[in-house]
Amino acid sequence: MTNANPDIRRLFEPRSVAVVGASQDPEKIGHKILQNIVSSGYRGAIHPINPHGGEILGLPVLPDLAAVPGELDVVCTVVPGRFVFDSVKAAAHRGVKFDLVISSGFSEVGNSEEERRIVAYALAHGMRILGPNIFGLYSAAAPVDITFGPGGIVPGHVAIITQSGALGLAMIGKTAAEHVGISAMVSVGNKADLNEGDLIEYLVEDENTQSILMYIEGVREGARLVETLRQATRKKPIVVIKSGRSRRGAAAAASHTGSLAGSDDVFAAVMRQAGVLRAESIKEGFNLCKFLARTSLPKGKNTVIVTNGGGIGVLATDACEKYGVSLLDDTQRLHEIFSPVTPDFGSTKNPIDLTGGATEAQYEGALGAAAASDSIHAVIALYCETAMFDAAKLAPLFAENNTRYLQAGKPIVFSAFGGGSIDANIGRLAEQRVPVFDDVYEAVACLGGLYRHFRHRNTPPLVPEEVDLDLAALDEVIRGARADGRTFLLADEAQRLMRVVGVPMPRSRVAHSLEEAVAIAEEIGYPLVMKVVSRDILHKSDAGGVALDLDNRNEVIDAYQAILRNARAAVPNARITGIEVTEMVRRGLELIIGARRDPGFGPIVMFGLGGIYVEVMKDISFRAVPLNRAETLDMMAEIRAYPLLRGVRGEDPKDIDRVVDAVLRVATVIRRCESITDIEINPLVAYEEGQGVRAVDARVLLAKV
Ligand code: ACO
């Protein structure tokens, strides 16, 4: 394990860097990296390492790391995979803090053992590894560019962490072309040691960084990452682009919960829960991060659309609904603010329609009025090309208003739609980092992202709630199954477990005589179900071993005798342990509660509409554990069938509090009890308020030992 945990600041602000495998050959990666370090204006010490010696780019080449004088914060390893372990070993002995292993040929091609060996050695000597299989790291704070990218990174306020190498390298050029200023760019590659969570701990405190973009393919240490993200998103906006929406892997899982929990559904839910914004594409990710890095947080939710076109105003209104942007609808207030600057035939209802005849002065007036009003917290400024407005004046109008709004701390986005001269204006404005788009949806998506971030910051942090669990009693149930060599619980074990957990199952006991059956029936109350208990009778109904809807003592007596008779006739030598007498579950709303240890995110819970059509309906939602009541209610409210819980068409509302209790209890078990991997209650029948819930069937899977 780690002996020392070097200060992550030294990775981003190294005082010295060595490149092992620096080469004279300008075509080699080891040369390009050295060249980028030199040309990025790095002010610390740079040490090329190569047994051939000599000079590269005017720097004296040292034969090995042992020859480097003074402290050494960062080493970049660019030697063929088979030499990496020895190089890492030398770096660790040299007291290096971080080793950026560029080399490929490890877990990405199945060579996981060598990768583990390298990381274990480094950690045992207090050195951290970035990679392997990375293109490197750029940090504006140093500044230093330790990558083999094209160079010329434009410094700014967006940090990018990418798991994809080639895409990340290409992003370097793209960010420059798209005027996304970069505070840091980190390639995490195989994430054998350092991962997104470690890097975010630095970036969230880095004053250069105003927003963070992550490109993720798969998650390592998901539970820890979520915890880091939860805290980080309270300080800075984080946007994630995730590829790989495959359900493979999940499909093989043994429970509904497993197969429903397609990795992407879980990822999306968990990121939302952690306050991370999800972008569908790199373009959307860039747009969001660029905007979020510059704008200030709104002071409230009232947004106003200012437009010279009715159609584009309606499009923007639709987009606002899609992206969760609230439009100010106080018509009186809007009239007071905008009537002095709106033409008579325009509209002061939101969208504020200046009409196709709008002049530059009217635009200026409307944007000025919105900037000055405390009732307006954000603005969407739209422009459709007309002959009434000199397109050459558009760029200065938008740029000046952008500056005015930035200074006023009021978010604004722009959209302009028209021909070549409009596009040219958009290009010029983008260079000045004005958030302007030809597509109104792109503009509103940026504001929507800001509002999601704003709302997240304004929700109180989650204080987990857990229930007390008798872990010893749980263990006892599990031990029984283990002793039998099983990794699942039988129905009666699952019932016992649910009793310990405190999720109500139908009351039930096994009778061994007629008298006992009657006594149990009287105790539980009617209606009842009776079932034969025999390990030799698998299909109880087919064997006539089940009686439903028993309403009184006489029916219980008749059923007891009939079940024994039928069972003996159907399977003559069956060993009959007794007859189970069970409370008959009334009809109610059928729900499902699932919980599992997700390979990426650790414990998660699922809630949804239950019953036999659960996989067809897929009306489900997910959360990472731990949870509290508020978060559980949020999760429940996400399913389409939620109104059924609140009561529709004159029905009484269901006992939502008891459903929440059941979810929290299941969540606590999956978090606390590591030997349980999956729990599924389906259906959990919910009754009217005050009448509770009943878990009709519970399936529990255990970890393989
Ligand atoms: N110490 C110092 N220098 C050494 C050592 C050592 N122990 N061993 C070898 N070297 C020197 C070599 O002599 C050579 O220098 P030279 O040109 O003076 O002879 C230099 O290190 C490089 O070694 P080469 O054998 O020439 O290796 P090459 O440069 O061709 O490849 C590399 C090395 C780039 C690490 C390669 O093995 C590799 O892994 N490439 C893939 C990198 C990659 O794609 N990473 C993921 C990035 S993200 C993406 O997907 C784009």
Side-chain angles (χ1 to χ4, degrees), residues 34-213:
L34 193 68
Q35 195 173 33
N36 274 339
I37 299 174
V38 172
S39 53
S40 59
Y42 179 58
R43 292 184 294 271
I46 310 170
H47 305 287
I49 311 290
N50 188 311
H52 298 144
E55 245 185 33
I56 311 175
L57 301 167
L59 296 164
V61 177
L62 300 174
D64 51 39
L65 286 169
V68 177
E71 271 209 80
L72 190 47
D73 285 335
V74 164
V75 158
C76 179
T77 301
V78 208
V79 293
R82 62 187 183 282
F83 302 133
V84 169
F85 180 76
D86 284 341
S87 177
V88 164
K89 203 167 151 185
H93 282 287
R94 177 63 189 72
V96 168
K97 296 184 175 62
F98 296 93
D99 197 337
L100 280 50
V101 181
I102 303 287
S103 319
S104 304
F106 298 96
S107 65
E108 82 284 2
V109 291
N111 190 6
S112 303
E113 204 174 308
E114 180 69 353
E115 188 171 293
R116 277 195 292 271
R117 188 164 84 106
I118 289 167
V119 171
Y121 194 91
L123 290 180
H125 292 82
M127 185 174 82
R128 305 296 303 264
I129 300 281
L130 184 66
N133 188 32
I134 58 170
F135 65 76
L137 169 145
Y138 162 81
S139 165
V144 68
D145 179 359
I146 320 175
T147 74
F148 57 98
I153 297 179
V154 181
H157 304 291
V158 177
I160 299 181
I161 302 173
T162 169
Q163 193 174 354
S164 163
L167 203 57
L169 270 180
M171 274 191 208
I172 293 182
K174 193 68 179 165
T175 53
E178 296 280 326
H179 315 287
V180 184
I182 299 297
S183 60
M185 174 91 129
V186 190
S187 163
V188 286
N190 297 0
K191 297 196 261 195
D193 175 19
L194 291 171
N195 58 39
E196 292 89 352
D198 303 289
L199 306 169
I200 283 171
E201 277 172 20
Y202 168 85
L203 295 171
V204 81
E205 300 300 337
D206 170 38
E207 55 192 35
N208 257 328
T209 300
Q210 298 301 334
S211 63
I212 300 168
L213 180 67

Side-chain angles (χ1 to χ4, degrees), residues 510-513 532-536 560 574-580:
V510 175
H512 302 93
S513 68
V532 66
V533 182
S534 167
R535 62 170 58 200
D536 302 315
Y560 187 92
R575 287 159 293 179
I576 295 173
T577 322
I579 307 281
E580 189 180 275

Side-chain angles (χ1 to χ4, degrees), residues 5-62:
N5 208 359
D7 182 356
I8 190 83
R9 201 159 71 90
R10 289 288 154 237
L11 175 66
F12 290 90
E13 299 164 44
R15 292 160 298 188
S16 47
V17 178
V19 179
V20 177
S23 170
Q24 303 275 2
D25 181 348
E27 296 302 314
K28 287 194 180 174
I29 291 183
H31 182 90
K32 300 222 187 275
I33 290 179
L34 193 68
Q35 195 173 33
N36 274 339
I37 299 174
V38 172
S39 53
S40 59
Y42 179 58
R43 292 184 294 271
I46 310 170
H47 305 287
I49 311 290
N50 188 311
H52 298 144
E55 245 185 33
I56 311 175
L57 301 167
L59 296 164
V61 177
L62 300 174

Side-chain angles (χ1 to χ4, degrees), residues 605 607 621-623 631-639 663:
V605 286
F607 171 78
S621 54
F622 296 92
R623 284 293 185 280
E631 190 76 34
T632 305
L633 270 170
D634 266 5
M635 163 167 81
M636 287 164 54
E638 274 173 22
I639 68 165
V663 175

Side-chain angles (χ1 to χ4, degrees), residues 273-406:
Q273 186 182 356
V276 173
L277 308 173
R278 180 98 187 252
E280 294 297 323
S281 64
I282 295 178
K283 187 171 187 209
E284 191 187 345
F286 278 9
N287 284 350
L288 267 172
C289 279
K290 226 176 1 172
F291 176 64
L292 293 167
R294 273 203 104 189
T295 187
S296 39
L297 283 174
K299 296 192 176 63
K301 64 183 175 60
N302 295 338
T303 300
V304 160
I305 300 170
V306 175
T307 181
N308 69 339
I312 198 169
V314 177
L315 275 177
T317 308
D318 290 348
C320 284
E321 195 170 306
K322 175 172 175 186
Y323 293 109
V325 174
S326 303
L327 293 176
L328 175 62
D329 58 5
D330 179 344
T331 44
Q332 169 92 32
R333 194 85 199 88
L334 286 162
H335 185 75
E336 282 162 23
I337 300 167
F338 291 106
S339 60
V341 292
T342 309
D344 292 344
F345 37 87
S347 168
T348 62
K349 294 199 186 99
N350 204 358
I352 312 302
D353 189 353
L354 304 175
T355 74
T359 60
E360 187 201 347
Q362 282 166 329
Y363 252 107
E364 187 57 46
L367 293 180
S373 167
D374 287 339
S375 311
I376 296 172
H377 306 123
V379 171
I380 300 166
L382 309 178
Y383 171 76
C384 279
E385 188 175 21
T386 70
M388 299 303 295
F389 191 118
D390 180 357
K393 294 187 176 146
L394 185 72
L397 175 80
F398 278 11
E400 280 156 25
N401 273 288
N402 189 51
T403 309
R404 177 205 316 215
Y405 274 73
L406 280 176

Side-chain angles (χ1 to χ4, degrees), residues 330-566:
D330 179 344
T331 44
Q332 169 92 32
R333 194 85 199 88
L334 286 162
H335 185 75
E336 282 162 23
I337 300 167
F338 291 106
S339 60
V341 292
T342 309
D344 292 344
F345 37 87
S347 168
T348 62
K349 294 199 186 99
N350 204 358
I352 312 302
D353 189 353
L354 304 175
T355 74
T359 60
E360 187 201 347
Q362 282 166 329
Y363 252 107
E364 187 57 46
L367 293 180
S373 167
D374 287 339
S375 311
I376 296 172
H377 306 123
V379 171
I380 300 166
L382 309 178
Y383 171 76
C384 279
E385 188 175 21
T386 70
M388 299 303 295
F389 191 118
D390 180 357
K393 294 187 176 146
L394 185 72
L397 175 80
F398 278 11
E400 280 156 25
N401 273 288
N402 189 51
T403 309
R404 177 205 316 215
Y405 274 73
L406 280 176
Q407 281 161 358
K410 192 177 283 195
I412 186 165
V413 290
F414 302 88
S415 176
F417 189 72
S421 68
I422 296 298
D423 288 345
N425 273 297
I426 290 180
R428 269 197 296 282
L429 287 163
E431 275 171 37
Q432 300 166 54
R433 301 192 186 169
V434 176
V436 57
F437 306 89
D438 59 353
D439 179 356
V440 69
Y441 270 74
E442 285 185 28
V444 179
C446 287
L447 201 57
L450 176 66
Y451 270 112
R452 266 184 291 152
H453 176 61
F454 173 69
R455 284 194 293 272
H456 173 72
R457 280 171 73 140
N458 286 336
T459 2
L462 182 133
V463 180
E465 277 171 49
E466 292 206 327
V467 288
D468 283 337
L469 274 185
D470 184 347
L471 285 173
L474 284 182
D475 270 351
E476 200 186 309
V477 180
I478 292 165
R479 265 205 306 279
R482 291 250 189 259
D484 221 12
R486 279 179 282 113
T487 53
F488 61 92
L489 298 190
L490 295 173
D492 61 319
E493 292 166 335
Q495 276 189 17
R496 265 168 52 217
L497 189 115
M498 285 298 138
R499 229 170 284 138
V500 174
V501 174
V503 175
M505 300 276 296
R507 276 167 299 162
S508 173
R509 277 168 55 202
V510 175
H512 302 93
S513 68
L514 179 59
E515 293 68 34
E516 203 184 350
V518 171
I520 294 170
E522 297 284 311
E523 187 191 311
I524 292 179
Y526 303 95
L528 289 167
V529 178
M530 287 168 68
K531 281 184 215 160
V532 66
V533 182
S534 167
R535 62 170 58 200
D536 302 315
I537 303 176
L538 286 182
H539 302 289
K540 297 185 175 79
S541 300
D542 296 352
V546 178
L548 303 170
D549 233 343
L550 308 172
D551 281 327
N552 55 49
R553 179 190 172 91
N554 285 342
E555 287 185 17
V556 166
I557 294 170
D558 289 349
Y560 187 92
Q561 289 162 340
I563 287 174
L564 281 185
R565 210 172 36 244
N566 294 342

